[in-house]
Amino acid sequence: CLLGNGNLYSTNFMAHLTEQVKMKFKYVSILSYLFLSFGCSQPTGKIPLISSIEAEKVLANGGYLFLDVRTEQEHESGCIPNTPNIPIESLEARINELNQYKQKKIIVYCRSGNRSGRGTDLLIRHGFDAVNLTGGMNQWAGPVAIKK
């Protein structure tokens, strides 16, 4: 077998080289699978949901905390009463602020349910009992506080 610069390589050498390439490929494939499966911030899967109607029923229940993950401007223009605001962009960095609520179920909301879905997933991965308010403020039929 002639390769590259005209050197003659034995069949055994080529077979050995081919086996090494196969082993490296398997190793890289396994590492890639593990990284993609368990590395980074993988979503937990199905995000638990609560409807506006169900959430409104527990609004006064002390066992629940409503958390607004919208921007501060959005929060001030209208929010569910007595709810803290931690924008989704800073939620992970500020997660320790919520440790005092670990014993409560946290109902996470935003405008439509997209950002709060990400926030719910993040909270669950940090050991909180959290659910996403479906439809967010767009579907909220309960009381609204305006802070401006």
Side-chain angles (χ1 to χ4, degrees), residues 118-142:
R118 294 187 345 242
T120 300
D121 182 68
L122 178 70
L123 289 171
I124 291 170
R125 287 187 282 119
H126 280 85
F128 291 90
D129 183 8
V131 295
N132 183 20
L133 180 64
T134 56
M137 289 300 288
N138 287 345
Q139 291 184 14
W140 178 250

Side-chain angles (χ1 to χ4, degrees), residues 63-118:
Y64 291 81
L65 172 77
F66 285 74
L67 174 66
D68 187 351
V69 295
R70 298 175 300 157
T71 65
E72 187 177 341
Q73 266 185 326
E74 288 175 294
H75 181 75
E76 289 176 353
S77 68
C79 63
I80 298 172
N82 304 314
T83 59
N85 173 232
I86 303 178
I88 189 66
E89 293 80 17
S90 57
L91 183 57
E92 189 158 27
R94 295 175 57 188
I95 199 88
N96 289 337
E97 294 176 30
L98 298 172
N99 283 339
Q100 62 185 315
Y101 303 112
K102 281 244 180 175
Q103 76 285 357
K104 295 186 178 202
K105 182 178 284 279
I106 299 177
I107 299 174
V108 187
Y109 72 94
C110 64
R111 182 183 57 82
S112 64
N114 185 25
R115 289 174 285 178
S116 56
R118 294 187 345 242

Side-chain angles (χ1 to χ4, degrees), residues 47-67:
I47 302 294
L49 304 173
I50 188 168
S51 70
S52 176
I53 294 167
E54 291 301 313
E56 191 177 354
K57 290 177 186 175
V58 298
L59 184 58
N61 183 327
Y64 291 81
L65 172 77
F66 285 74
L67 174 66

